[in-house]
Amino acid sequence: MAKAPVLTPQAEDFPRWYQDLINKAELADNGPVRGTMVIRPYGYGLWERMQQEMDARIKDAGAQNAYFPLFIPQSYLTREAEHVEGFAPELAVVTHGGGKELEEPVVVRPTSETIINDYFSKWVQSYRDLPLLINQWANVVRWEMRPRVFLRTSEFLWQEGHTAHASYEDARDYAARIHKDVYADFMINVLGIDVVLGRKTPKERFAGAINTLTLEGMMGDGKALQLGTSHELGTNFAKAFNTQYLSKDGKQELVWQTSWGVSTRMVGGLIMSHGDDNGLRVPPRLAHVQVVVMAIKGDEAVAKVRELGDRLKALGIRVQVDDRVDTPFGRRAVDWELKGVPVRVEIGPRDLEAGTAMLARRIPGGKEPVSIDALGELLPKVLEEDQAQLLRESRERRESRTSEVTTLEEAAEAATAGGWARIPWATLGAEGEAKLAEQAVSVRCLVAEDGSVPEADDAPGTVAIVARSY
């Protein structure tokens, strides 16, 4: 009788495979309140590495970290009509505290545009105070009707950037800088996901924005996942909160603003982009455990893996030593494979006699014996090769499953079949976008013919990327 697979095969049931992997790889559990999640240590380690990489890029772009309250007066959200309308169905509202009914209900932070703008209006007085570039790492709450761990949860972790500028051009350019130099650089070069950079249609824009820039990734089942957004807010919030500055000409002017964010949804994107039927595959540049050095059995092997682990750590490789010889080796190997650690270095008594170790590579697969002494030089090369392979696979999947179409029917057919479609926006338009939505198909973004981000929705040659999405 054939042994049952550890995970439901992707081809059989992709959503079930996703849930199986999260459970078996010990990434997260469902929380006690519907729609919440408990992120387990290995899953949180992935998020910490994402934070570290993103935080460095955000600071390189000039932003500074700050923190704002979790509770926001309900009246703040009503100041910007489009914003409150966009978030109303998702709000969690506190009406009682300390055993008493509150004089004014407070909203649990769904995003911080309103409260941050209240303080921007106090902090910005002169053109000398601009640009004001603030980032916050925090949790947010958006009451989710159809929760899925990491992808859509009622509470999730993220960063949200908020900036104020003296001119439209400065704000526009900064939103584009975050989009390209922070988000795209991280997602392509660290996550190994070949994202498409585009512009959201008016229907899909962030509530209160005049433009939204997005990064869309194709998952293993062909659906799209929005991995991050950067918004131009214009002067909408500045008007609502009276955020003005004294210009060089001595005039009171409204500031121009941006906001931008990515979240723990990226962990879900990582899983669905790179995972296979054997588990997760973590890009080496992201992995908080790049190499696990495993003792198969025997005291001498345990001593050797500990010594080797220290030597590899000194070379800057992120290493974990697995010397749990009281646990069967096969079980441990399967666990590390499920977690997607890029490389396993396996050492037993016979290997010690030969001066070799068995090198198991998770991303391309396969094992081969290598000299223990050569590992310090070999491993960095192997890790970079495997990083490049994941990005290449991501690009090849997207390109092979994207169709050039000319009609709404062809676009819907391509998306329903598990791929993306590219159709001229002039052909589709807002009317076609609405018809696609009836079939659970959406316009993920608008791109120029050459793949760049168009400067306007109706720019000549603009193409709509159409897909089913998470």
Side-chain angles (χ1 to χ4, degrees), residues 361-377:
R361 294 171 66 175
R362 177 66 182 90
I363 291 163
K367 288 186 176 185
E368 62 176 330
V370 299
S371 166
I372 292 176
D373 292 338
L375 284 169
E377 183 178 354

Side-chain angles (χ1 to χ4, degrees), residues 300-314:
E300 291 185 7
V302 168
K304 187 63 178 179
V305 299
R306 290 173 179 172
E307 180 230 315
L308 179 60
D310 289 340
R311 179 155 61 89
L312 295 177
K313 287 177 184 177

Side-chain angles (χ1 to χ4, degrees), residues 42 47 65 88 186 212-213 231-232 303 311 347 366 390 439 462:
Y42 190 79
W47 175 240
N65 287 337
F186 168 71
T212 291
L213 303 173
H231 314 287
E232 297 173 44
R311 179 155 61 89
I347 299 176
L390 286 179
Q439 302 178 63
T462 297

Side-chain angles (χ1 to χ4, degrees), residues 135-180:
N135 178 63
Q136 172 174 239
W137 291 96
N139 63 332
V140 293
V141 172
R142 298 178 185 178
W143 215 254
E144 181 57 55
M145 296 296 104
R146 298 184 302 278
R148 185 173 295 179
V149 173
F150 289 122
L151 299 179
R152 291 186 179 277
T153 49
S154 295
E155 179 192 8
F156 55 91
L157 306 179
W158 78 345
Q159 61 74 210
E160 51 177 316
H162 299 270
T163 70
H165 305 260
S167 69
Y168 160 74
E169 290 79 12
D170 195 40
R172 176 201 63 197
D173 292 347
Y174 194 79
R177 180 180 179 184
I178 293 294
H179 188 225
K180 181 181 178 182

